[in-house]
Amino acid sequence: MPGVVLDPSLGITASAFGCARRGASHKRAGTCCQDAHLLADMSISGFPMLFAAVADGHGSKQHDRSHIGAHLALQAAMQTLGWLLLGVRQDVESACDSFSNEAKAPSPSDSECLDKEALVSNLTRNFRDHFPRMLCRLWRELICLHGKNRADPEATLSDPLFIKRYGTTLLVAALIGDAVLLAQIGDGDIALLGKDEKNELQVSFPLAGTDDLVAGETHSLCSEDASRLFRTGIRPRNGVSMITLSTDGLRNAYEKEESFRNLLVGIRDNIRAYGSTTANGVLPEYFDRFSDHGSGDDITLAGIYLERPTITETANRDEVGDLQSSLRRT
């Protein structure tokens, strides 16, 4: 995906990257990859938004359509954000129309009318208040439509066994203006990389938490009251240099959390040096290796990089020796 200019006044651009790899255990069993990821850019009245999401279908016998549920979760997340953007435009346009007759109110199409701060404020409020509920409702409508298109007599949302067939986790990140919007249900990791007050690079997991479940179980879009099980967060863009979203197969490839953190730092450093295109070309090979020597699970990573690369993204792959050492399992 080409770079998106987020803030022309500061020269800040962003690019998205990601890949999903079929796990070694799935290859041996002849089953499909349960993971999925989606990268997209949207805009409203000239204000760009960059979107990344990953989903991990559960893959068991009772979740036999979870790979489909994962893809539909990504579709539901992006469409819900689109609806929220439209709602923000309507809110701001209404504010414009309420200007006093003594002052000329700009047309809703005028860029001055859609003030960036007002837009981001409205969007973050709508995201916090409505995103999980709207997304869960849309996802259930999509899986029901899929079932009916398959002439499935059990395609009804009143049947919990039907909903479980599509069960999946979901992680979402969206970047607009000065805000980073985050949402997660189930396991997996959303990480923010950036400088702290001492100007030192740190890796944080703003939505880290436990599902209070046992035996590797996790909350899911097919869970009862799924919208209440979402964790959401809004963080300032300032200081963030990279956002990553990964399914649990990536963290589980490492025995130590420090090694997982070092991996993310290594990816960030090499994108900074060689560009996201090179990372997209190299990561699949290493994720296959991680799965072969790790849990055997599918591995998916998606991310948004927020700093301008130091050299062209068309750097030759022979120049990325540092990336190889950074990605080597420890």
Side-chain angles (χ1 to χ4, degrees):
M1 178 180 292
V4 174
V5 179
L6 291 174
D7 194 332
S9 65
L10 299 178
I12 296 176
T13 61
S15 58
F17 60 94
C19 69
R21 303 301 293 174
R22 185 184 178 202
S25 63
H26 290 277
K27 293 177 182 177
R28 292 191 293 267
T31 54
C32 64
C33 178
Q34 301 293 322
D35 286 4
H37 75 288
L38 179 63
L39 308 170
D41 62 284
M42 300 178 278
S43 66
I44 174 171
S45 298
F47 299 121
M49 169 186 282
L50 208 54
F51 167 88
V54 303
D56 182 1
H58 302 325
S60 66
K61 289 184 178 181
Q62 65 176 334
H63 304 294
D64 61 309
R65 294 181 182 173
S66 61
H67 60 294
I68 298 170
H71 285 279
L72 293 179
L74 302 178
Q75 178 182 336
M78 186 173 70
Q79 188 169 333
T80 300
L81 272 174
W83 285 343
L84 292 180
L85 282 173
L86 290 175
V88 164
R89 181 179 178 86
Q90 292 171 357
D91 289 346
V92 178
E93 288 178 354
S94 297
C96 290
D97 292 338
S98 68
F99 281 145
S100 165
N101 293 331
E102 298 172 359
K104 179 183 179 297
S107 165
S109 61
D110 291 345
S111 60
E112 294 82 7
C113 177
L114 292 174
D115 176 77
K116 181 169 132 180
E117 291 186 3
L119 182 145
V120 173
S121 175
N122 285 346
L123 177 61
T124 54
R125 184 183 66 252
N126 288 346
F127 180 84
R128 181 180 59 248
D129 295 344
H130 304 300
F131 180 77
R133 174 181 52 81
M134 292 173 62
L135 186 152
C136 289
R137 178 178 178 179
L138 177 57
W139 179 78
R140 294 191 173 214
E141 291 175 352
L142 290 174
I143 66 171
C144 189
L145 179 61
H146 179 269
K148 290 180 178 178
N149 287 340
R150 295 279 296 269
D152 186 348
E154 299 178 352
T156 171
L157 297 181
S158 62
D159 183 357
L161 295 180
F162 169 76
I163 299 173
K164 282 187 176 181
R165 298 184 69 181
Y166 295 84
T168 181
T169 65
L170 178 66
L171 296 82
V172 176
L175 185 65
I176 183 169
D178 297 323
V180 178
L181 313 180
L182 306 171
Q184 176 174 352
I185 184 170
D187 55 23
D189 295 280
I190 297 180
L192 299 182
L193 284 75
K195 298 294 183 67
D196 59 16
E197 295 79 3
K198 299 180 181 179
N199 203 37
E200 296 178 353
L201 182 64
Q202 66 173 359
V203 181
S204 63
F205 300 93
L207 299 187
T210 60
D211 286 343
D212 298 324
L213 299 175
V214 297
E217 293 186 357
T218 183
H219 289 312
S220 163
L221 282 175
C222 71
S223 299
E224 186 177 357
D225 293 331
S227 63
R228 299 182 181 181
L229 300 175
F230 264 87
R231 303 191 294 273
T232 60
I234 301 170
R235 299 291 186 274
R237 186 196 67 194
N238 183 39
V240 175
S241 59
M242 190 170 77
I243 307 163
T244 62
L245 306 89
S246 55
T247 56
D248 64 330
L250 183 56
R251 178 185 282 270
N252 291 342
Y254 288 92
E255 295 181 358
K256 300 179 180 179
E257 180 170 332
E258 180 182 1
S259 300
F260 177 59
R261 290 174 178 265
N262 289 340
L263 167 74
L264 300 180
V265 172
I267 293 173
R268 179 253 187 200
D269 290 346
N270 281 272
I271 292 179
R272 184 177 185 180
Y274 304 110
S276 58
T277 300
T278 300
N280 284 330
V282 175
L283 291 175
E285 173 186 342
Y286 285 90
F287 288 175
D288 287 344
R289 184 181 302 177
F290 294 170
S291 185
D292 288 341
H293 298 282
S295 65
D297 198 4
D298 301 325
I299 295 178
T300 297
L301 172 76
I304 299 173
Y305 177 72
L306 294 167
E307 294 181 7
R308 189 185 303 277
T310 56
I311 64 174
T312 177
E313 289 191 354
T314 58
N316 190 291
R317 181 169 172 175
D318 293 339
E319 298 178 275
V320 296
D322 288 343
L323 182 57
Q324 297 177 356
S325 61
S326 298
L327 296 178
R328 190 174 297 119
R329 291 184 70 248
T330 57

